[in-house]
Amino acid sequence: MTRGFTSGSKMDGEVKEKITAAGVLSSQRGESEPFLALVGRRKPTLCKMSLDSRAREVFAAAVESVQPDTVVRQSIERKEDLVIIDGHKFTLKHNLHLVGFGKAVLGMAAEAERIMGDHLVKGVISVPHGIQQTLQQHGKDQLLLKENSRIRVMEGAKHNLPDADAQKAAEGIAQLASELTEKDLLLVLISGGGSALLPAPIPPISLQEKFDVTRKLAAAGATIQELNTVRRALSLLKGGGLAHCAHPAQVFALILSDVIGDPLDLIASGPTVRSKVWPEEVLSILERYKLLNSVPASVKDVLGRLSPRWQEHEDETDKAEHVRNVVIGSNGVALKCAGRRVRELGFRPVVLSPGVCGDVRSVSRLYGLLARFACSREEPPPEIAAEVLRLGPEVGVESWDLCRTMQVLGEGRKEGWGATCLLAGGEPTVELTGKGRGGRNQELALRVGLELRGLELPPKGPVFLSGGTDGQDGPTEAAGAITDGGLYEEAQAQGLDINNFLTNNDSFTFFTRLSSGQRLLVPGLTCTNVMDVHMLLIPPIPINIK
């Protein structure tokens, strides 16, 4: 259970200024205390599996750790009529109610009901259209509710877009919350996709009017923060509206995060996170993008009202003490569990960051440089470390995390650790220039394969994997792909022009044709989503010590 992954970004400015490429290299020459003291000196475990197979094993462990039923089971402890959630104790007196919304919520709700038993009075959850049938077809019975369940399942949001069915579900959730008293406990389950499954525009705004406003803002170039500000202002339930609706009941939200950094106000637009949105702020955003004169009269009517919703209940304190939010599954959790599996398979894990973002071209360059840095038989040239640090801001990784990672990789070579596994996660972006089939993970793997060209082939050279934890990378049945330094020559031998596939954003077709699709990562239905997992497996490198 976690409240979010924290990196080394808390270093003060004076210390950060001392982080340089020269500093990283000097630490490898023995001029500072080795980082080994922090990670231990346990000898790696021998393993006869190929690097490819071990990479797939680690990815599977990462996905398994954030299964919806698993994260709920690990976060709730029941002792007869007492339930403990994140260290907080609640007495159960047949006073528990449950609501939820998101792609993974059905499995979360099924586990919560198993734990709570008959103390659960009733519940309403909003889940994607067709999810129950899909889970049945894939034999995921543990993620389905029992026949006598007290939870009502409402499906909606076809194609991940808010629709009338999702709005009806949101109305049912709002009604349940509004009927609660100070003696009740409302358990709120939230996962990725929750925003589209909880559409509740403030009357007289229609669902279509709200959708059109946000769509026009997005097309005009509004930031995600600006879009969420407008969504919250026009919604009854987002931006803390659900928690407000449930007052004075105790509200406890369990969250499976699919957003970098796990910001509570952005996941599903923060229905249990109090946020004041002033009409003037929304009007200024609409004016900034020259949309103020074209918004419907209903939107202007809502924005023209005087005060934010929070002033309606004087007993709602600024701290909103009746509401608690906790992230129970995230990319950081997945990487931590992947690291444990890495050790079992004979590698030393090094976690770079769970927040890698930016263009896949920059991200692939970063991983290529780190591979060359780690695989160098001699002292890596200082230019590599300098370029790694320069790329940091472009890919959302702090200089401290990059320096820490290079120090560990460097000491691993020097001290003769054996195999190392660099782990990272996040959600890079792809600039669309073509009309092919693929996704960010497959394109990242393809580009990293080019970056690794010239390095030794497995088992003496590195292997890279990129996979989406939701099991689906773009409009394909693959989650990602695995690559190494032999990718270019392998493609050439089979008559495949990598650059043409990249230009057309056709990475899935490339990997499907290459060696009969053996490099594709196809885990099937995963039932969860905490963004992507990246890993670089580095075998023991014989070095020349001068």
Side-chain angles (χ1 to χ4, degrees):
M1 193 162 29
T2 179
R3 291 184 183 277
F5 188 102
T6 56
S7 68
S9 59
K10 293 182 179 179
M11 298 177 64
D12 57 40
E14 181 180 352
V15 177
K16 277 189 175 181
E17 289 176 4
K18 295 180 181 179
I19 296 177
T20 62
V24 173
L25 293 173
S26 68
S27 70
Q28 297 172 47
R29 300 186 187 107
E31 297 172 21
S32 65
E33 182 181 353
F35 203 79
L36 278 168
L38 299 180
V39 296
R41 294 177 178 272
R42 185 170 63 83
K43 291 183 178 180
T45 306
L46 293 176
C47 181
K48 295 182 179 180
M49 294 171 62
S50 69
L51 290 182
D52 180 292
S53 296
R54 282 186 272 184
R56 294 175 189 271
E57 284 272 327
V58 174
F59 179 77
V63 171
E64 182 62 30
S65 71
V66 287
Q67 286 296 294
D69 55 336
T70 300
V71 293
V72 168
R73 186 163 55 250
Q74 292 175 345
S75 64
I76 301 177
E77 183 181 0
R78 165 90 183 276
K79 295 180 178 180
E80 295 182 351
D81 293 344
L82 187 71
V83 63
I84 305 172
I85 309 176
D86 192 39
H88 298 277
K89 297 180 180 180
F90 301 94
T91 301
L92 298 176
K93 296 179 180 178
H94 303 284
N95 57 343
L96 177 71
H97 297 73
L98 182 150
V99 297
F101 31 90
K103 295 179 179 179
V105 155
L106 186 57
M108 296 172 74
E111 187 62 28
E113 186 170 26
R114 274 191 285 269
I115 295 171
M116 298 302 187
D118 61 1
H119 283 289
L120 176 63
V121 179
K122 65 177 177 179
V124 178
I125 58 174
S126 178
V127 297
H129 178 80
I131 185 66
Q132 294 178 97
Q133 182 179 357
T134 299
L135 291 175
Q136 288 172 350
Q137 291 173 345
H138 286 79
K140 304 281 187 178
D141 293 342
Q142 77 277 14
L143 301 181
L144 293 167
L145 298 174
K146 303 301 182 185
E147 288 185 8
N148 59 347
S149 173
R150 297 182 180 182
I151 300 172
R152 182 185 179 192
V153 181
M154 304 183 72
E155 297 186 355
K158 280 187 180 180
H159 312 299
N160 202 30
L161 295 173
D163 57 19
D165 289 333
Q167 185 175 9
K168 187 176 180 181
E171 291 169 355
I173 288 171
Q175 181 177 348
L176 184 153
S178 64
E179 295 171 352
L180 303 180
T181 70
E182 68 277 1
K183 296 180 181 180
D184 293 313
L185 170 63
L186 179 64
L187 186 63
V188 183
L189 306 176
I190 304 173
S191 74
S195 185
L197 287 160
L198 196 72
I202 299 174
I205 303 175
S206 70
L207 183 61
Q208 186 62 48
E209 287 173 334
K210 181 186 173 188
F211 178 74
D212 287 343
V213 169
T214 54
R215 181 177 53 81
K216 289 178 181 178
L217 272 172
T223 65
I224 185 63
Q225 290 81 8
E226 290 170 329
L227 285 169
N228 274 295
T229 296
V230 174
R231 285 194 188 105
R232 289 194 293 262
L234 305 183
S235 175
L236 281 171
L237 299 179
K238 290 172 180 143
L242 176 59
H244 170 79
C245 193
H247 186 82
Q250 287 283 320
V251 177
F252 213 113
L254 302 181
I255 302 166
L256 186 58
S257 171
D258 68 335
V259 182
I260 287 177
D262 309 326
L264 297 176
D265 61 325
L266 291 187
I267 303 168
S269 300
T272 54
V273 181
R274 179 173 176 173
S275 59
K276 289 185 177 180
V277 179
W278 297 92
E280 294 82 4
E281 184 181 5
V282 180
L283 290 170
S284 69
I285 292 173
L286 294 171
E287 190 170 10
R288 186 176 308 138
Y289 294 100
K290 298 180 174 57
L291 294 173
L292 186 57
N293 294 329
S294 62
V295 297
S298 58
V299 172
K300 294 179 180 178
D301 176 38
V302 169
L303 295 178
R305 296 172 190 174
L306 295 178
S307 61
R309 61 175 72 120
W310 305 111
Q311 295 182 4
E312 295 173 16
H313 289 328
E314 293 183 1
D315 57 339
E316 284 193 69
T317 64
D318 288 337
K319 294 182 180 179
E321 293 176 351
H322 75 294
V323 181
R324 291 182 175 88
N325 294 280
V326 58
V327 174
I328 61 173
S330 65
N331 194 270
V333 170
L335 294 183
K336 183 178 180 180
C337 292
R340 287 200 290 264
R341 185 65 179 131
V342 158
R343 282 193 176 278
E344 294 171 355
L345 292 172
F347 291 84
R348 286 185 177 272
V350 182
V351 176
L352 173 63
S353 169
V356 176
C357 57
D359 191 278
V360 289
R361 288 170 291 193
S362 298
V363 176
S364 63
R365 180 61 179 160
L366 174 71
Y367 289 136
L369 288 168
L370 289 174
R372 293 182 182 280
F373 183 92
C375 295
S376 177
R377 290 174 177 252
E378 300 179 350
E379 197 71 42
E383 292 80 11
I384 292 182
E387 189 175 353
V388 165
L389 293 177
R390 182 188 62 78
L391 282 170
E394 295 181 27
V395 298
V397 182
E398 294 280 347
S399 294
W400 160 247
D401 288 320
L402 291 168
C403 286
R404 169 183 55 79
T405 299
M406 285 190 285
Q407 189 171 354
V408 173
L409 293 176
E411 288 174 359
R413 291 171 47 257
K414 184 177 179 181
E415 301 279 341
W417 284 0
T420 304
C421 178
L422 177 70
L423 292 165
E427 202 167 74
T429 55
V430 173
E431 181 183 352
L432 295 178
T433 57
K435 297 181 179 180
R437 294 183 68 200
R440 59 180 180 265
N441 286 285
Q442 292 166 85
E443 180 151 334
L444 176 59
L446 183 50
R447 291 184 180 277
V448 170
L450 292 179
E451 294 287 343
L452 298 179
R453 187 184 179 194
L455 295 179
E456 288 199 70
L457 305 185
K460 295 183 178 181
V463 164
F464 177 81
L465 177 149
S466 182
T469 56
D470 63 353
Q472 187 174 18
D473 188 38
T476 76
E477 56 265 33
I482 302 177
T483 190
D484 56 52
L487 182 75
Y488 181 82
E489 284 72 18
E490 185 179 334
Q492 287 286 97
Q494 298 178 32
L496 301 174
D497 188 326
I498 291 181
N499 289 324
N500 285 344
F501 285 100
L502 285 173
T503 301
N504 197 34
N505 299 120
D506 205 14
S507 53
F508 176 71
T509 303
F510 171 81
F511 280 114
T512 299
R513 293 180 182 175
L514 183 72
S515 302
S516 303
Q518 292 180 9
R519 291 181 178 266
L520 283 171
L521 180 65
V522 189
L525 184 69
T526 66
C527 308
T528 191
N529 182 20
V530 293
M531 300 179 291
D532 305 333
V533 169
H534 307 152
M535 72 185 78
L536 183 65
L537 303 182
I538 303 162
I541 304 296
I543 61 172
N544 301 323
I545 300 177
K546 296 182 179 179

